[in-house]
Amino acid sequence: MKLWKRLLALGLSASLCLALAACQNGEADPSGSPDPSASPADPSASPSPDIQVDLTQTMFEFASGLKDGDTALTVNGVDIPNELYLYWLAYDCYYLDSYYYQYGAAADFTNQEIVDYLLDDVQTAVTYYAVLRQLCEENGISVTSEQDADLQSQIDAYEDENGEGSFQTLLQSSGLSQDGFYYVNTNSYLFTSLADKLVGEPTDADLEQYVADNGIYAVKHILLKTTDKDVTDDADNVTMTADEFNAQQKALAEDLLSQLQASDDMENLFDQLMNDYSEDTGLATNPDGYQAVEAGQMVPEFEEASLALEPGEISDIVESDYGYHIILRLPLEVEPADYQADFVQEKMTQLQQGWLDEHEIVTNDAFDQLDVPAFYETVTALRQAVSTRMEELSAQEDASASAGTSASASAPAASGSAPSVRHSTSSME
């Protein structure tokens, strides 16, 4: 995983935005998507010009007024510094902002219900990682020298790709100290090592059972779409009501099913009819059918009918909101071993819930007074100021290098050079 992606990896917030989609301004949208009529707000857009950033301060102290090293909360008696709590909060705010932005809407951070969801999610994440580390310590697990070397190699590669001092800039724009960076980026190593010890290597029988329990299957289908609007046939200039059109589609589906049931070579005929008649937009990218479909991915009517079939069997006509389906169940081509990582993750998720239920947490009252909208706006302003400053410094360095090249033919080389200004914007040590 690339360094910057790992730096922003949260993991526990996958369901956050789904829960929040129904909380926008107190009006739930049954589609689960923000109101597309709302004005879009690019998370990277310029914040208020009234915010005067100070690049000599660390991001979270500047944005919150709270000291990075002070205790945000304790988990089972272990102190968690403000820096980590505020890092996850800034990430969650950005994640939510980006989620709304993709639908052309703006996340309302003044909505207290949204703020409460954010703070609860952040506390869960901080608590989880604290408990993870405590369990690793109890089980004699620590970051290995090989894992340390792997992380350092990513840092070195990042510097090679982005220039000297770019890692310090990355720290500053993420708001993390060296220790905070190490904490965030070694959690995945510790999780893997703990999973190896607590779950171990699953057997073939374990994986086969996992595939069966999770309803993983493979199918092809012929879809004839239905509609709730009148339909005009451009070729014949004939208009049909929705009911007439849908009846025509069902009659066609019945005819195709009869052909398949009477065929001696049903599977080849199915492919032919599917390519001739199916209106599934996914057919172009899945010409051989849908492999490794998991429970919940398809509409309920489709899934129920698919799981009722044995490989090689076809369904009767199945009606869903999309239209009429004829489904052919396929043999599952993936191997159970392909689900080893999913099996381990599922077992660890079951354990994780127990960990979170048993923890003892003491919070810091200072966070009850934190102005989340102002905090996120200030964090955004400082990140953009860092980016702008680094672009200016890079342009200055390029100009200096160009001038030095031009002058080198007529002037002797200097005995020394000025230190790189790239380091002057970072105060993360």
Side-chain angles (χ1 to χ4, degrees):
M1 181 184 295
K2 285 192 174 182
L3 185 63
W4 66 271
K5 288 185 178 179
R6 184 191 294 246
L7 190 63
L8 294 178
L10 179 56
L12 289 180
S13 291
S15 62
L16 172 71
C17 291
L18 296 179
L20 291 174
C23 301
Q24 43 179 325
N25 301 319
E27 298 178 1
D29 177 354
S31 71
S33 300
D35 180 3
S37 65
S39 58
D42 185 344
S44 64
S46 298
S48 169
D50 296 333
I51 299 175
Q52 301 299 314
V53 301
D54 181 356
L55 293 180
T56 67
Q57 285 191 269
T58 62
M59 175 185 294
F60 298 137
E61 288 188 0
F62 177 71
S64 69
L66 303 172
K67 295 294 184 182
D68 284 346
D70 287 352
T71 300
L73 65 156
T74 61
V75 180
N76 297 333
V78 175
D79 291 343
I80 306 300
N82 290 341
E83 172 191 17
L84 293 176
Y85 183 99
L86 294 171
Y87 168 75
W88 296 127
L89 177 58
Y91 177 82
D92 263 15
C93 288
Y94 180 81
Y95 185 87
L96 181 63
D97 212 7
S98 300
Y99 172 81
Y100 274 82
Y101 176 65
Q102 69 178 321
Y103 291 103
D108 180 10
F109 291 107
T110 64
N111 183 322
Q112 190 57 46
E113 193 170 2
I114 286 181
V115 171
D116 289 343
Y117 268 110
L118 284 168
L119 295 178
D120 182 67
D121 188 76
V122 169
Q123 183 168 302
T124 299
V126 170
T127 301
Y128 165 73
Y129 288 118
V131 174
L132 169 68
R133 287 175 170 271
Q134 291 168 22
L135 286 170
C136 284
E137 185 175 350
E138 292 171 8
N139 285 274
I141 294 170
S142 59
V143 179
T144 66
S145 57
E146 290 82 5
Q147 290 167 340
D148 271 330
D150 178 60
L151 182 55
Q152 185 59 52
S153 70
Q154 293 181 62
I155 295 172
D156 293 341
Y158 186 86
E159 288 255 318
D160 289 344
E161 181 178 350
N162 297 282
E164 182 184 358
S166 57
F167 174 62
Q168 287 298 319
T169 304
L170 178 65
L171 289 181
Q172 187 175 25
S173 62
S174 67
L176 289 173
S177 64
Q178 295 275 7
D179 288 343
F181 173 86
Y182 187 80
Y183 183 102
V184 169
N185 285 278
T186 53
N187 282 328
S188 59
Y189 296 128
L190 293 173
F191 175 88
T192 299
S193 298
L194 186 62
D196 288 344
K197 182 162 188 175
L198 298 184
V199 178
E201 186 86 11
T203 64
D204 289 344
D206 289 334
L207 296 174
E208 289 170 3
Q209 190 62 49
Y210 174 86
V211 170
D213 290 344
N214 285 274
I216 298 168
Y217 59 98
V219 289
K220 291 179 179 178
H221 76 133
I222 299 169
L223 169 64
L224 301 177
K225 291 183 177 180
T226 53
T227 184
D228 58 359
K229 299 178 181 179
D230 292 348
V231 176
T232 299
D233 185 332
D234 293 333
D236 298 329
N237 198 27
V238 174
T239 298
M240 290 184 287
T241 66
D243 287 344
E244 290 171 337
F245 176 80
N246 294 341
Q248 178 177 286
Q249 291 290 80
K250 186 172 184 180
L252 176 58
E254 290 171 342
D255 177 57
L256 298 181
L257 179 61
S258 296
Q259 293 182 50
L260 290 166
Q261 291 172 335
S263 175
D264 294 331
D265 190 4
M266 185 268 294
E267 292 190 12
N268 282 332
L269 179 60
F270 191 97
D271 285 347
Q272 178 184 327
L273 297 178
M274 179 178 68
N275 290 319
D276 288 345
Y277 292 99
S278 183
E279 297 172 305
D280 176 17
T281 56
L283 179 60
T285 51
N286 298 276
D288 298 320
Y290 296 93
Q291 278 288 335
V293 181
E294 297 188 20
Q297 282 186 256
M298 301 297 191
V299 292
E301 301 89 350
F302 186 97
E303 181 173 294
E304 182 179 352
S306 298
L307 293 175
L309 300 171
E310 293 295 329
E313 290 183 342
I314 60 170
S315 70
D316 290 328
I317 296 171
V318 177
E319 185 176 0
S320 77
D321 289 342
Y322 290 96
Y324 299 110
H325 309 260
I326 303 173
I327 302 167
L328 170 62
R329 179 79 179 261
L330 302 172
L332 194 62
E333 293 181 359
V334 296
E335 296 295 329
D338 296 336
Y339 288 91
Q340 180 166 329
D342 295 322
F343 173 88
V344 172
Q345 180 63 60
E346 180 180 87
K347 295 300 182 184
M348 288 295 286
T349 298
Q350 294 167 359
L351 292 172
Q352 287 162 17
Q353 189 54 55
W355 303 344
L356 293 174
D357 290 342
E358 296 168 3
H359 70 269
E360 179 183 357
I361 184 168
V362 179
T363 59
N364 183 342
D365 292 340
F367 283 93
D368 295 335
Q369 311 303 319
L370 183 64
D371 186 336
V372 172
F375 166 78
Y376 180 53
E377 186 175 23
T378 306
V379 164
T380 302
L382 194 143
R383 281 181 172 155
Q384 290 171 346
V386 171
S387 177
T388 299
R389 179 59 178 151
M390 295 316 299
E391 289 175 0
E392 292 171 352
L393 294 173
S394 179
Q396 291 173 13
E397 288 184 348
D398 291 343
S400 297
S402 177
T405 301
S406 300
S408 63
S410 57
S415 59
S417 59
S420 170
V421 293
R422 284 185 179 271
H423 297 286
S424 65
T425 62
S426 178
S427 57
M428 302 305 296
E429 296 297 336

